[in-house]
Amino acid sequence: MRPSSRTEILSAAMRVVDAVGGADITYESVAREAGLTKAGLMYHFPSKDALMTGVIEHVIDLWQTELCEVLAVPLADSTLEQRVDAFVRFAGTGGVTQGEFVVFTEAVRRPQLSAPWLAWLRTWFGFGEGADTTPLMLAWLAANGLWIAESTNILTVTPTQRTALLGRMAELVKEASA
């Protein structure tokens, strides 16, 4: 499959998830959004699991690109503190979608789809058992909580609250570096 076709199909799948507020992705809805026939979509993604794995990997690729821009150093050269700090800033900017949350939870709900997420999470946030990483873990968990709360519309954060929350999370990251 041409990389551009794959990206276009997966972007269409994300538009479907975002538009319908997390409803199941169907071959029909994604094909329609991508301008393909159902058979054309099935040619590229022969099973629903193949489509879902592709969508999960697509979201991971998007996040990887955005997080690397925030990180501002090569991932291979970064420290855990730098990666957590980048994630706090990434997750704390808002702009999250319910569709991204649905894709993440689908992977958690269906363990056969979780491998890409787990590999990505381990690469970025392998907290290990060495030094005390409690402050970093707290900052990471808080950023995840903010992301989940906003992506599910449980919470609306004002700009003042966001600044205060991100400030406190940054303090936790700095505490870990001290």
Side-chain angles (χ1 to χ4, degrees), residues 20-117:
V20 296
D24 260 353
I25 295 174
T26 65
Y27 277 126
E28 292 83 9
S29 62
V30 174
R32 186 173 38 256
E33 182 67 29
L36 298 171
T37 63
K38 181 178 173 183
L41 179 61
M42 291 179 77
Y43 173 80
H44 296 296
F45 296 98
S47 70
K48 179 132 183 217
D49 279 354
L51 177 59
M52 285 307 303
T53 299
V55 170
I56 289 164
E57 291 170 346
H58 179 68
V59 172
I60 289 170
D61 289 345
L62 294 172
W63 284 19
Q64 180 79 0
T65 299
E66 291 177 36
L67 271 167
C68 283
E69 289 172 7
V70 175
L71 185 59
V73 297
L75 179 60
D77 298 335
S78 66
T79 65
L80 179 58
E81 290 86 0
Q82 289 170 317
R83 292 188 302 275
V84 170
D85 179 63
F87 182 74
V88 165
R89 290 183 285 133
F90 166 75
T93 59
V96 295
T97 70
Q98 188 176 35
E100 290 171 338
F101 179 75
V102 167
V103 168
F104 179 78
T105 57
E106 184 69 13
V108 172
R109 189 177 70 82
R110 299 177 55 207
Q112 70 271 25
L113 301 177
S114 65
W117 276 117

